[in-house]
Amino acid sequence: MATITAALVKELRESTGAGMMDCKAALTQTDGEFEAAVDWLRKKGLSKAAKKADRVAAEGLVAALVSENSGVVVEVNSETDFVARNADFQTLVKNIAEVALKSGASDVEALGKEAYPGGGTVSEAITNAIAGIGENLTLRRAAALSVGEGVVGRYVHAQVVDGQGKIAVIVALESKGDKEVLATLARQLAMHVASANPLALDASGLDPATVEREKKLLAEKNAGKPENVLQKIIDSGIKTYAKEVCMLDQVSNHPDHGGKSVAQAVKEIEGKAGAPIAIKGFVRYALGEGIEKQTSDFAAEVAAAVKG
């Protein structure tokens, strides 16, 4: 067996852009033959995938999938929105969501190691899809909700195919009430979350850093006022802020709720459901949120290519 040197691994890595361990595996599998190792990586799709890995992937799809009392949301990104209309990509997203729902995995690293339908792992399926689709693809995030008794409802905005679109929301309701009534309410609340984008269920769930930032803004806006007056203004301002960004305090934007707050609407529907209802949580994913997207001058790129 040929000796696989660090220099040879480094050379293969620089030539193909594949990972160090993949390059070592390729050389081991091909008895140290450089060109054969290049071909091995290409067949595995690893060379192409690595070369695309530094490209910004901020498009793609978010998906929501539920099964009575459990649900998941996942975000799989691509470089262009064109890929979101690709049937193979849509199947990839669907399968990843199904794996997440079945396994309960909400950690991306753990989900990547789960078995993928048809063989291999989720991570390997993504790598294979990169080679086939020709763009960088990433499993960016995943989250799961479940209740012991009740329902998890979903809503997907700007839906491309069933359960996949631009905004995906799941809402968990814990209750012994009528499942049909609960399912309708859960979907209505998921629609509200998609539109209103609350930061937390109630004030206790707000990020302390966010609250401190609001306090600082209120203090700066009212600088110069007596300390006791300033403190009252800040306390009042934080309460007002919480009503604006906390789900239970927000006015429901679903027409069936008649302008009531979410908490009031849920309380009213308890009578129809026949049991108390508790919102245990929600997750809202908007495609590409928080990703710094690259902007490009297409005409300049074409000019540069022609010049080159």
Side-chain angles (χ1 to χ4, degrees):
M1 179 179 285
T3 301
I4 310 300
T5 66
L8 189 59
V9 174
K10 183 174 182 290
E11 184 182 355
L12 182 59
R13 185 174 187 273
E14 291 175 348
S15 175
T16 63
M20 193 73 75
M21 296 307 294
D22 292 324
C23 289
K24 185 177 180 181
L27 289 164
T28 301
Q29 291 294 323
T30 58
D31 201 27
E33 291 291 330
F34 189 87
E35 293 302 325
V38 171
D39 290 341
W40 188 89
L41 287 169
R42 290 180 63 190
K43 287 176 184 176
K44 293 288 185 180
L46 296 172
S47 179
K48 285 184 178 181
K51 287 180 178 179
K52 293 177 174 63
D54 61 347
R55 298 182 187 174
V56 175
E59 300 295 341
L61 290 166
V62 288
L65 188 62
V66 297
S67 177
E68 197 166 293
N69 64 339
S70 61
V72 295
V73 283
V74 299
E75 179 176 0
V76 184
N77 295 128
S78 61
E79 294 176 53
T80 65
D81 59 359
F82 177 78
V83 170
R85 298 189 291 275
N86 181 302
D88 290 337
F89 180 73
Q90 292 167 0
T91 299
L92 175 71
V93 176
K94 174 178 175 289
N95 287 342
I96 291 174
E98 289 178 346
V99 170
L101 184 64
K102 183 178 179 181
S103 66
S106 58
D107 175 81
V108 168
E109 185 175 351
L111 181 54
K113 295 176 182 176
E114 292 288 338
Y116 186 82
T121 65
V122 168
S123 291
E124 289 169 344
I126 293 171
T127 297
N128 293 335
I130 291 172
I133 293 174
E135 284 193 12
N136 183 28
L137 308 175
T138 60
L139 171 58
R140 184 187 179 204
R141 51 184 174 164
L145 289 176
S146 64
V147 290
E149 194 167 12
V151 301
V152 177
R154 72 171 181 178
Y155 172 70
V156 177
H157 184 67
Q159 193 164 254
V160 177
V161 291
D162 183 43
Q164 302 178 32
K166 299 293 186 181
I167 299 175
V169 179
I170 55 174
V171 174
L173 302 180
E174 191 168 68
S175 176
K176 295 180 180 180
D178 184 280
K179 289 289 177 64
E180 189 174 338
V181 173
L182 294 175
T184 298
L185 175 61
R187 177 174 170 77
Q188 291 172 342
L189 294 178
M191 293 174 72
H192 168 83
V193 171
S195 174
N197 192 18
L199 299 182
L201 187 60
D202 55 33
S204 66
L206 286 172
D207 183 348
T210 300
V211 176
E212 285 304 313
R213 186 170 63 250
E214 287 300 314
K215 286 182 178 179
K216 184 178 179 181
L217 289 172
L218 287 166
E220 291 174 351
K221 186 177 180 181
N222 296 278
K225 293 184 178 179
E227 185 62 32
N228 63 324
V229 174
L230 179 61
Q231 191 57 54
K232 289 180 180 178
I233 292 173
I234 291 174
D235 291 343
S236 176
I238 291 299
K239 287 180 181 179
T240 300
Y241 174 74
K243 286 184 178 181
E244 292 173 352
V245 301
C246 293
M247 181 183 177
L248 288 173
D249 288 326
Q250 288 177 329
V251 175
S252 174
N253 54 28
H254 197 281
D256 287 359
H257 297 163
K260 299 179 179 66
S261 71
V262 169
Q264 290 170 336
V266 171
K267 192 68 179 176
E268 187 174 271
I269 292 170
E270 285 181 344
K272 189 183 296 184
I277 301 170
I279 304 175
K280 302 305 290 184
F282 67 88
V283 180
R284 179 187 187 274
Y285 280 0
L287 179 66
E289 61 188 348
I291 299 177
E292 187 175 345
K293 299 183 181 182
Q294 292 178 329
T295 56
S296 60
D297 186 333
F298 182 69
E301 289 180 6
V302 172
V306 172
K307 184 178 180 181

